[in-house]
Amino acid sequence: CSSDLNYLMFILFREGNLMKKSLIAVSISFTLLNMPGVAQAVGDIDAGQVKSGSCASCHGADGNSMMPLFPKLAEQNEGYLVKQLEAFKDGSRSDTTMNSMAAGLSEQDMQDIAAFYAAQAVSENPLPQVNPDDLDDIDDDNSLSESAKTAAKQALQDRQKALMTMGYDVYRNGNLDNEISACIACHGPNGEGNEPAAFPALKGQHAGYLAKTLTDFKTDKRSNNPDNMMHMIAKKMNAEEITAISYYVSAIK
């Protein structure tokens, strides 16, 4: 018993020393991170505006793209933007245009461009419409009476409201039946994202781009997420939930 007790005391002493060393190492790490000489690269907004000139044709001069399948970059978290540019540069995220655009960027270029876009205000979107062309088709359909046209338009409006309600519920509460996590946990109550974790801001993003992105995660077309978090979530979402989430998030201000 005495030898067992001595051995136990030795183990506790050794583990205690290891723990102290670990804590010292962590403290040193935090100290070094806060020292000016070893700080990570900081983006320059003015330099980023100049360097982002070639991005304007797709993403807009201020990061607010006009095309629904090209993402808005305005007000996006810097860490996320840098992470995506790095992925395009090393090929872990595949897009012919973006791979070539990012190929010549240095780490400082990425930081500068990200700083510029993060400093811009994202524009607001109009409320998304379910098949907006259907409204014109209803008006042009001479076989329908005026009351039938009114009823058909109301059905489209009701469908839109139902999708927005579903999107709000899934974003904030998830879907226990389908084991879908609430989006709010990573992307924030107002779609602002999480800068320290490099989780993207979603508010004001185009509904079309959001739907495409979720579908790409669902089908593994987009595969540069090492944690596989979005793949696991998107695979459990059906087409209606993807549409609903995209509609709701696009309208967040």
Side-chain angles (χ1 to χ4, degrees):
C1 292
S2 174
S3 60
D4 290 342
L5 180 59
N6 288 336
Y7 179 72
L8 177 60
M9 293 297 293
F10 167 75
I11 292 297
L12 291 173
F13 177 79
R14 185 185 68 179
E15 294 300 318
N17 282 337
L18 289 174
M19 184 175 292
K20 288 178 182 178
K21 291 179 181 178
S22 297
L23 290 173
I24 291 172
V26 170
S27 298
I28 292 173
S29 298
F30 277 114
T31 301
L32 290 174
L33 285 173
N34 289 319
M35 288 174 61
V38 295
Q40 292 183 337
V42 175
D44 182 292
I45 294 175
D46 292 334
Q49 183 174 15
V50 174
K51 294 175 181 179
S52 69
S54 58
C55 312
S57 59
C58 291
H59 299 288
D62 62 350
N64 285 294
S65 73
M66 300 301 292
M67 290 167 278
L69 291 182
F70 291 166
K72 295 183 183 181
L73 304 181
E75 214 168 324
Q76 185 55 267
N77 294 324
E78 289 184 52
Y80 177 76
L81 287 173
V82 171
K83 180 180 175 183
Q84 298 311 306
L85 286 171
E86 290 173 340
F88 282 126
K89 181 173 182 175
D90 65 27
S92 58
R93 183 173 175 186
S94 179
D95 180 273
T96 302
T97 301
M98 285 305 304
N99 293 146
S100 61
M101 295 290 285
L105 296 178
S106 67
E107 188 66 26
Q108 188 62 57
D109 292 336
M110 296 179 191
Q111 294 285 348
D112 293 343
I113 291 171
F116 168 68
Y117 283 128
Q120 310 309 305
V122 68
S123 59
E124 295 181 5
N125 295 320
L127 284 176
Q129 300 291 324
V130 178
N131 299 327
D133 292 340
D134 288 353
L135 291 173
D136 293 332
D137 293 340
I138 292 171
D139 284 329
D140 294 339
D141 191 343
N142 295 324
S143 67
L144 295 176
S145 65
E146 288 303 315
S147 60
K149 289 181 179 181
T150 300
K153 291 179 181 179
Q154 185 61 51
L156 285 176
Q157 293 177 4
D158 291 344
R159 172 68 173 155
Q160 177 190 341
K161 290 178 182 178
L163 285 170
M164 292 291 284
T165 300
M166 177 189 291
Y168 173 90
D169 188 50
V170 175
Y171 185 88
R172 295 188 170 275
N173 304 310
N175 185 331
L176 292 178
D177 293 336
N178 292 352
E179 298 181 343
I180 298 172
S181 303
C183 310
I184 193 174
C186 293
H187 298 288
N190 298 308
E192 69 275 19
N194 184 323
E195 172 62 45
F199 292 156
L202 301 180
K203 67 176 183 178
Q205 189 57 264
H206 291 304
Y209 179 74
L210 289 167
K212 176 184 180 299
T213 300
L214 286 170
T215 302
D216 286 349
F217 277 126
K218 183 179 178 70
T219 60
D220 289 327
K221 184 175 181 180
R222 181 167 169 180
S223 57
N224 68 306
N225 187 338
D227 296 327
N228 207 30
M229 187 184 305
M230 284 307 304
H231 292 81
M232 292 187 292
I233 294 172
K235 285 181 183 299
K236 297 173 183 176
M237 299 178 71
N238 57 41
E240 186 173 58
E241 287 167 329
I242 287 176
T243 300
I245 284 287
S246 301
Y247 275 23
Y248 170 70
V249 171
S250 73
I252 296 178
K253 301 177 182 179

